[in-house]
Amino acid sequence: MVIVKTAREISKMMDACRISANALRVAGEYVKPGITTWEIDEKVREYIEKQGATPSFLGYGGFPASACISVNDVVIHGIPSKEQILKEGDIVSVDVGAFYEGFHGDNAYTFACGKVSEKAQKLMDTTRIGLEKGIEAALAGNRVGDIGNAVQTYVEARSYSVVRDFVGHGVGAKLHEDPSIPNFGKSGHGIRLLPGMTIAIEPMVCEGSYEVDVLDDEWTTVTVDGKLAAHYENTIAVTKDGPKILTIAG
Ligand code: MG
């Protein structure tokens, strides 16, 4: 069931979204060669808790950390680890959510660790702009398929692929609400977007094939061909005046 929020609920949700965006910014400040992904996760958790909020992911479905930190060929759901030391040239996708006063915010960004290769940078740029294209299509009266189509068209025109097995989602009082928001699809198909819908749009884009595998830890999701993947996400509200990004740091 799709839950449409009132303007008041959305304005409350903006607090959770701002904390999520700030937590993501904190993570980005620590992405440097030599740091462990576990240390980054600690900084994220500390920041969120200091705001009086709760990390949305910690314990969610048994996830053991506050942020998903996914390096290079890990697409999503990477588990922070004391053994994983970042090195120059890594691309580091951090996904983090915060729960505050009844609502969740959810966002992700792929950070460059030091200087990355030109091809890695191009993948990151394409994914980030793909997210922007998806957001631009999140207009009241459009359909969910218009978002996916906008992302897919932009990404595939640059010879990258869009993950099929994982998709964006509604977000609000629950971290994952209806509807699902695929990053692929047909224009004019799917559920109609209404003012007051709050959704997380989150393209996961691969350098090679879009096929992914989940490792034995039941979380870590990797590209089957071992090539790079990037992931960007914003929580947005569909409004009568157009899409409004809620996960803005500040
Ligand atoms: Mg999400």
Side-chain angles (χ1 to χ4, degrees):
M1 187 187 66
V2 173
I3 300 163
V4 171
K5 282 88 178 171
T6 63
R8 193 164 166 272
E9 286 170 324
I10 290 173
S11 107
K12 276 188 78 178
M13 194 166 152
M14 284 181 77
D15 292 331
C17 287
R18 193 185 59 251
I19 294 168
S20 304
N22 286 342
L24 189 58
R25 189 160 74 178
V26 166
E29 283 164 8
Y30 284 95
V31 171
K32 288 195 180 90
I35 197 167
T36 65
T37 53
W38 185 85
E39 286 172 279
I40 297 172
D41 183 66
E42 280 291 289
K43 298 296 180 189
V44 165
R45 184 179 55 77
E46 282 166 16
Y47 175 79
I48 293 172
E49 289 177 348
K50 221 164 124 187
Q51 312 312 308
T54 310
S56 299
F57 300 175
L58 186 60
Y60 185 88
F63 190 76
S66 300
C68 299
I69 306 183
S70 307
V71 181
N72 296 335
D73 63 325
V74 181
V75 186
I76 50 165
H77 299 167
I79 300 174
S81 156
K82 286 180 178 170
E83 270 78 63
Q84 186 167 36
I85 303 166
L86 295 183
K87 56 184 195 312
E88 182 87 14
D90 283 341
I91 65 167
V92 183
S93 300
V94 179
D95 191 348
V96 60
F99 182 72
Y100 183 73
E101 297 197 342
F103 290 102
H104 292 274
D106 190 5
N107 61 176
Y109 196 95
T110 302
F111 298 100
C113 183
K115 190 165 168 41
V116 301
S117 69
E118 209 171 293
K119 68 169 190 163
Q121 189 62 54
K122 199 168 156 239
L123 171 71
M124 292 160 68
D125 292 344
T126 302
T127 312
R128 197 189 66 248
I129 298 169
L131 168 60
E132 288 171 10
K133 300 291 177 191
I135 292 171
E136 284 167 14
L139 301 170
N142 270 2
R143 292 178 182 270
V144 163
D146 293 306
I147 297 175
N149 187 263
V151 175
Q152 182 180 17
T153 301
Y154 183 81
V155 165
E156 290 184 353
R158 282 145 191 86
S159 302
Y160 297 112
S161 69
V162 166
V163 168
R164 302 297 197 275
D165 290 359
F166 295 89
V167 296
H169 50 92
V171 53
K174 289 194 182 150
L175 180 60
H176 293 112
E177 296 181 348
D178 288 336
S180 289
I181 312 286
N183 300 294
F184 54 92
K186 282 188 186 159
S187 299
H189 283 67
I191 286 175
R192 193 177 293 280
L193 300 171
L194 302 171
M197 283 172 64
T198 48
I199 56 178
I201 304 178
E202 50 175 322
M204 291 147 256
V205 173
C206 304
E207 188 187 7
S209 158
Y210 61 71
E211 277 182 83
V212 298
D213 231 345
V214 178
L215 302 186
D216 288 343
D217 62 22
E218 295 182 355
W219 287 104
T220 311
T221 300
V222 299
T223 58
V224 169
D225 58 18
K227 294 189 176 182
L228 297 175
H231 177 213
Y232 292 78
E233 175 181 31
N234 277 133
T235 296
I236 68 137
V238 178
T239 81
K240 61 176 175 34
D241 303 319
K244 183 178 169 61
I245 299 174
L246 303 182
T247 37
I248 292 179

